[in-house]
Amino acid sequence: MPADMQRDPLALDEQKLFYFPQRIGQWLDAGARWNKLKSIYPVYVEVSPAGACNHRCIFCALDFMGYRPHFLDRAGYRAFAGVAARNGVRSIMFCGEGEPLLNPDLAAMVKETKILGIDVAITTNGTLLNRRFCEAALPYLGWIKISLDAGSAPTHASIHRCSERDFGAIMDNIATAVQTKRRRRLACDIGVQVLLLPENAAEVLPVARAVKKIGVDYFVVKPYSPGLRGRAFRKPDYAGYERLAARVEGLSDGTFHATFRARAFAALQSGGRPYRACNAVPFFWAYVATNGDVYGCHNFMHKREFCLGNIGRQSFDRIWEGARRKSSWRKMRRMSTDACRINCRMDGVNRYLERISHPQKNFTFI
């Protein structure tokens, strides 16, 4: 196995678009012809099942949405997922504006999605990851990731702005998920993620060791990336964390993978991009908001002109191949990435697309 794959065997610090050469070929062949581009459906979609949240994290980029207590309509989602599956969407992650597990229909939505042939994942703060949910949802999940941004109850409470009791409950819930996976011999990967901040840097290693002991499959440390809107929060200085990175990754063994997202940290520190425009959207990724609105990129949810339609009022194929997506594509072609979030979700994909669409000299000598 190559050294980079040994360091990051789950590709947590990588883009994975190269696994879909037919989709890439379709995009390259289409060029700037909308009649061909419109039929390129996303490989991956993020879906927000809940607008409400039981935490108020100090770094939240979506607090401007107001944490409204509304939930994605199950029937509307089911119709969307059916059309998405028929048109080549390969994966859906439930995350979004609030805490996904607050939606009482989430376990059923996970099952329905997987039955359609779409891989499913969840990112959660872990407070509601109880035995009942684990038994119902884990058999259908490819992975579930718990955002646990501290190694102690006081630090967790100060960062997530929640009760100190939540930390112990979350650790118990992680253990429940691991026990459910082992007892039922499930394939779901259970992971824990820490967003590195000055407030929690001293607790990264202790929490990594703790969740390794519990038996999770992976642990990942990622940098904070400022949103385009949301709560004002200072950008941390990530210089000097090389030793921490080495110690985190030194915890990896045959059953536990610890990844310090070095590429993401480097990209954030450099502040630059090797591409002038975003080519990833609105093609390879999409976002469905809790109210059913569809976006090519969730970073522009505060701009209505980037809303492509609503799954409660239109079928997903009509939205995806419609005039509003064409208009959004034209805007993205003209818009400089200086207006984009630094180190966004599609940064790695954009770097890859830039390279293959602008090959280096003598590239034919493979």
Side-chain angles (χ1 to χ4, degrees), residues 136 282 286 316 329:
F316 183 55
W329 165 65

Side-chain angles (χ1 to χ4, degrees), residues 62-362:
L62 295 173
D63 64 305
F64 71 92
M65 303 291 289
Y67 307 111
R68 290 169 292 189
H70 59 267
F71 304 99
L72 184 66
D73 177 69
R74 181 178 172 185
Y77 171 76
R78 188 189 301 118
F80 152 78
V83 176
R86 290 194 296 273
N87 285 281
V89 171
R90 298 293 301 275
S91 63
I92 286 176
M93 179 174 74
F94 289 110
C95 55
E97 300 133 50
E99 167 50 41
L101 272 65
L102 284 169
N103 188 320
D105 293 326
L106 184 60
M109 292 161 69
V110 166
K111 181 178 179 179
E112 291 165 354
T113 306
K114 185 61 179 176
I115 288 173
L116 287 168
I118 299 175
D119 294 332
V120 199
I122 296 174
T123 295
T124 172
N125 63 33
T127 52
L128 301 173
L129 189 62
N130 55 37
R131 186 172 301 280
R132 181 178 179 182
F133 184 85
C134 288
E135 294 287 351
L138 259 59
Y140 305 99
L141 288 170
W143 54 265
I144 187 165
K145 181 171 63 184
I146 298 91
S147 296
L148 185 66
D149 299 299
S152 68
T155 303
H156 181 264
S158 66
I159 292 175
H160 278 236
R161 298 204 297 181
C162 62
S163 169
E164 287 195 14
R165 293 191 299 271
D166 282 4
F167 181 78
I170 293 166
M171 296 297 278
D172 288 343
N173 289 345
I174 293 171
T176 295
V178 170
Q179 291 161 10
T180 304
K181 172 182 175 171
R182 289 176 174 173
R183 177 171 44 81
R184 299 186 62 178
R185 299 183 180 180
L186 302 175
C188 174
D189 285 328
I190 299 169
V192 170
Q193 176 177 277
V194 167
L195 181 72
L196 182 61
L197 303 169
E199 290 88 344
N200 64 13
E203 299 184 7
V204 170
L205 273 172
V207 73
R209 293 189 182 105
V211 297
K212 178 179 180 178
K213 185 176 181 180
I214 290 172
V216 304
D217 299 291
Y218 69 89
F219 177 82
V220 59
V221 181
K222 77 169 188 175
Y224 166 75
S225 175
L228 299 182
R229 275 192 70 176
R231 183 175 292 113
F233 186 73
R234 69 193 181 284
K235 177 185 173 183
D237 180 6
Y238 285 122
Y241 282 110
E242 294 82 3
R243 185 180 178 188
L244 176 61
R247 295 180 72 185
V248 166
E249 297 194 344
L251 296 174
S252 295
D253 55 30
T255 59
F256 176 77
H257 305 294
T259 299
F260 193 95
R261 292 188 55 188
R263 286 184 175 85
F265 279 93
L268 188 65
Q269 288 293 90
S270 71
R273 303 176 180 89
Y275 50 91
R276 290 177 293 178
C278 179
N279 287 311
V281 299
F283 299 109
F284 303 103
W285 176 45
Y287 181 85
V288 179
T290 309
N291 65 358
D293 284 347
V294 178
Y295 293 87
C297 176
H298 78 286
N299 290 315
F300 293 101
M301 284 195 295
H302 60 294
K303 294 188 176 183
R304 293 299 300 173
E305 65 266 29
F306 286 94
C307 178
L308 310 182
N310 186 284
I311 62 171
R313 296 187 290 270
Q314 299 167 280
S315 66
F316 183 55
D317 52 353
R318 293 191 67 181
I319 293 171
W320 199 249
E321 299 185 28
R324 293 176 74 173
R325 178 167 166 251
K326 181 179 180 180
S327 175
S328 177
W329 165 65
R330 285 176 168 170
K331 285 186 178 74
M332 295 300 289
R333 291 186 73 195
R334 297 191 301 267
M335 190 174 74
S336 167
T337 53
D338 291 340
C340 295
R341 184 176 188 172
I342 298 173
N343 209 15
C344 75
R345 191 89 77 198
M346 290 291 107
D347 178 68
V349 170
N350 269 308
R351 290 170 185 266
Y352 178 73
L353 292 173
E354 180 72 13
R355 185 170 181 180
I356 63 173
S357 58
H358 295 87
Q360 64 194 81
K361 183 179 179 181
N362 295 324

